[in-house]
Amino acid sequence: ERSSKARRRRRAAQLLAALCAAGKAPGDAFPWVVSKLDDPDDNVRSSVVQLGVACVDADGDDNLADKIKACEDALAKSTSCEAVTLLGAAASHLAPDDERVADVADRLVDVLVATTKADEPPPPPKEAKKKPRAVAAKTGIAAIGMAPQKKNPFAKRGSGPAKPRLGAADIGGLRKTRAEREGSVPEKKQRTFDIKPVADCLGKLAKTMKKTHAERAGNLVERLRETSFRDRDAATRRKASTGLAAVVKGLGIGALKKQEVVERIRDALDARASGGDLNAAHGALSCIEALAKTLGVLFEPYEIKLLAPLLNCFADSSDVVRNAAKNAAREVFGGLSAHGVKLALPDVLKQAAGEEATSWRARVAAIEMLGATASCAPKQLGAVLPKAVPALADALADTHDGVREAARKALEEVFSVASNPEVRAARKELLAALCDPAHCTLQALEALEQREFARAPDAPALALLAPILARGLRDRAALTKRRAALVCGNLAALCAGTAQEQALAPHLPLFQPL
């Protein structure tokens, strides 16, 4: 019943937010929002905050003073993150020279970097008190504790001292203790909040503070940066990095250089490579992830510089650092443009080939990035895949199982983007030829020879076929050479005079010495 009521409240907030976005917000929506800030359900509070922000943005400067006063009254009763978020949304519509803008920004940062229970050091373990050993009242062997005292089987049950009876309070205490021991007493749920609205409001306020409160805006960046690197709680470091990315977006990309954010990130990652602080490395990787997600293409030049130390973090001994590096690399490589992929490809190829990687985990990370190149722009596939697929084929012969499995999955991703149906039909034979070229190359060539191509292969298909054809042309068996030459001639005839000539051009140096 409680869950159904919470769903109805959340649905009401979502519908009102949709009305606000359409410019049809009811007049009493914001007072209802303020009254629901202390809702026990986390999802309801999140929807209510989104509704409050939508109401403030839809009304603009209308009734702005009343909204700020309502938020301050709510904060006077109980300091809640949701009320501070609404106050930040309302303060973003104030005049740039208003002092309250910087004050509210400081309060939003306080919400992000608030000390949680995880930040507090654990209490020292209590020493178990040893009970004093009862001295035996008997003499002889029993007096020195060498013989256990035996009960008299002929003694009457009621002959001993009468035990005190348990009262109702004692029984209730025993039941409570037993329930706690069995885990049937539910623990008090800790309230959580969505940091995205907080970060959005912080970014708007930073944009307002850019000219009138530049010094205080720089202090915000410095405080969030230091919290991201030095705080003991991982969740607080992630929240601080999210706030840092929002503030940098509001102030402009120049804040990264002015506040030396990228330099500090690189120093923390380099220090971790030589056994530095784990918290600083995790905070630096969280900053990379948040900045790449928030700034997008604007952060791309810095991503190329940070790519090499980022890949080195995959060889770290800590799971915390490796997981953070994986999340950051996924965000970085997923947001690179086609030109950025070409710039990042040399470093990734070196890691995938094992030239700079000292751990198989780093090679696996680089191989996964090479597999992600299959999702690049179609115009760049012809330039990227001719270098990526041979590196993946070489990784299939690695001695480590993890590297081979990652290379196989990456090649399957390349197969998935090949639009040529004839190549898709021979997927099994082609993948086997890439995995075991000494025994399966002839079967792959026979499978290609038996199929009639209706159109020229695209760039992913040519990138997959080129290593197999090159291996067939270098084979000692005359039959394998003849079939490989026949397939090469047919592919060249198909691509001649079509748009696929540019996709075939990068592979020609592989066949010219033959």
Side-chain angles (χ1 to χ4, degrees):
E1 184 179 357
R2 289 184 178 179
S3 61
S4 62
K5 290 182 179 179
R7 282 195 298 267
R8 287 196 293 269
R9 293 194 300 271
R10 184 171 69 252
R11 183 59 179 166
Q14 293 172 353
L15 292 175
L16 289 174
L19 290 176
C20 291
K24 302 178 181 179
D28 56 346
F30 196 81
W32 182 81
V33 167
V34 176
S35 65
K36 296 298 180 182
L37 291 178
D38 292 333
D39 195 277
D41 190 86
D42 296 338
N43 297 324
V44 174
R45 291 198 307 273
S46 178
S47 300
V48 165
V49 169
Q50 294 176 6
L51 170 60
V53 174
C55 290
V56 172
D57 294 339
D59 296 340
D61 297 338
D62 298 341
N63 300 325
L64 185 60
D66 296 338
K67 293 184 176 64
I68 293 178
K69 186 177 183 305
C71 295
E72 290 177 348
D73 292 342
L75 287 172
K77 296 179 182 178
S78 62
T79 304
S80 63
C81 306
E82 293 78 12
V84 177
T85 305
L86 291 183
L87 184 60
S92 62
H93 294 275
L94 292 172
D97 56 348
D98 197 325
E99 291 293 335
R100 290 179 293 177
V101 175
D103 296 337
V104 174
D106 290 334
R107 298 182 74 171
L108 287 173
V109 173
D110 293 338
V111 168
L112 284 178
V113 301
T115 304
T116 59
K117 291 183 178 181
D119 298 328
E120 301 175 359
K126 297 180 180 180
E127 298 181 359
K129 296 182 179 180
K130 295 183 179 181
K131 296 182 179 180
R133 190 172 180 179
V135 181
K138 295 185 178 181
T139 57
I141 298 178
I144 60 176
M146 295 181 62
Q149 298 181 5
K150 296 183 180 180
K151 294 182 179 180
N152 186 6
F154 300 102
K156 295 182 180 181
R157 293 184 178 180
S159 59
K163 297 181 179 180
R165 294 185 178 182
L166 294 177
D170 298 328
I171 294 175
L174 290 175
R175 288 175 180 174
K176 182 178 180 181
T177 306
R178 183 180 179 184
E180 291 177 351
R181 184 172 62 253
E182 294 177 355
S184 60
V185 176
E187 296 182 358
K188 188 177 181 180
K189 185 179 179 181
Q190 188 176 3
R191 290 180 56 169
T192 59
F193 69 98
D194 187 11
I195 64 173
K196 187 179 182 303
V198 181
D200 294 341
C201 295
L202 193 57
K204 295 178 182 178
L205 293 178
K207 187 176 182 179
T208 306
M209 298 167 58
K210 185 176 181 180
K211 295 181 179 180
T212 56
H213 305 282
E215 184 177 357
R216 296 188 66 177
N219 294 336
L220 291 179
V221 175
E222 184 178 357
R223 181 184 176 189
L224 290 169
R225 184 194 63 194
E226 296 303 319
T227 305
S228 301
F229 291 164
R230 296 183 178 181
D231 199 271
R232 292 179 296 177
D233 182 34
T236 305
R237 292 195 297 269
R238 286 193 296 268
K239 290 188 293 184
S241 62
T242 303
L244 175 63
V247 173
V248 169
K249 183 179 180 181
L251 296 177
I253 197 67
L256 290 175
K257 184 177 181 180
K258 186 176 181 180
Q259 300 295 332
E260 299 180 352
V261 176
V262 178
E263 288 76 6
R264 289 293 305 275
I265 291 175
R266 190 178 184 90
D267 293 343
L269 296 181
D270 293 341
R272 180 59 186 172
S274 57
D277 187 15
L278 184 147
N279 293 340
H282 178 265
L285 293 170
S286 300
C287 288
I288 294 176
E289 179 185 359
L291 289 170
K293 184 177 181 180
T294 305
L295 301 180
V297 184
L298 296 176
F299 191 62
E300 186 172 294
Y302 302 100
E303 292 172 353
I304 305 301
K305 296 181 180 179
L306 296 173
L307 188 58
L310 171 60
L311 291 175
N312 291 332
C313 290
F314 282 91
D316 197 271
S317 58
S318 174
D319 294 340
V320 177
V321 177
R322 289 200 303 268
N323 293 335
K326 186 175 182 180
N327 296 333
R330 185 187 299 111
E331 197 66 43
V332 166
F333 213 80
L336 285 178
S337 63
H339 182 67
V341 171
K342 292 179 64 176
L343 294 177
L345 194 60
D347 291 335
V348 179
L349 287 174
K350 290 180 182 179
Q351 293 280 357
E355 297 178 6
E356 296 183 357
T358 58
S359 172
W360 65 271
R361 292 189 180 92
R363 292 195 63 189
V364 167
I367 289 170
E368 290 177 353
M369 288 187 177
L370 287 179
T373 56
S375 59
C376 293
K379 293 183 180 180
Q380 300 297 331
L381 284 177
V384 173
L385 289 181
K387 299 178 181 179
V389 173
L392 295 176
D394 294 340
L396 288 171
D398 195 84
T399 57
H400 198 280
D401 296 339
V403 177
R404 291 198 302 269
E405 183 66 19
R408 186 185 63 80
K409 290 182 179 180
L411 285 174
E412 288 181 354
E413 292 182 8
V414 179
F415 269 108
S416 64
V417 297
S419 61
N420 195 277
E422 292 81 9
V423 175
R424 283 177 172 269
R427 175 179 178 176
K428 182 178 179 181
E429 292 83 0
L430 295 177
L431 188 58
L434 290 172
C435 296
D436 189 7
H439 301 90
C440 302
T441 301
L442 182 59
Q443 288 82 353
L445 294 174
E446 290 176 350
L448 292 173
E449 188 180 1
Q450 293 172 2
R451 285 172 172 82
E452 182 177 354
F453 285 77
R455 58 177 180 174
D458 56 356
L462 290 174
L464 292 167
L465 294 177
I468 300 174
L469 296 177
R471 177 65 175 80
L473 291 173
R474 290 184 175 89
D475 198 87
R476 295 182 179 180
L479 180 61
T480 306
K481 286 184 177 180
R482 184 167 59 252
R483 290 186 173 175
L486 180 61
V487 174
C488 284
N490 292 337
L491 288 178
L494 284 172
C495 295
T498 63
Q500 299 301 328
E501 284 184 343
Q502 296 180 356
L504 182 61
H507 304 286
L508 292 180
L510 192 63
F511 306 132
Q512 283 176 355
L514 304 176

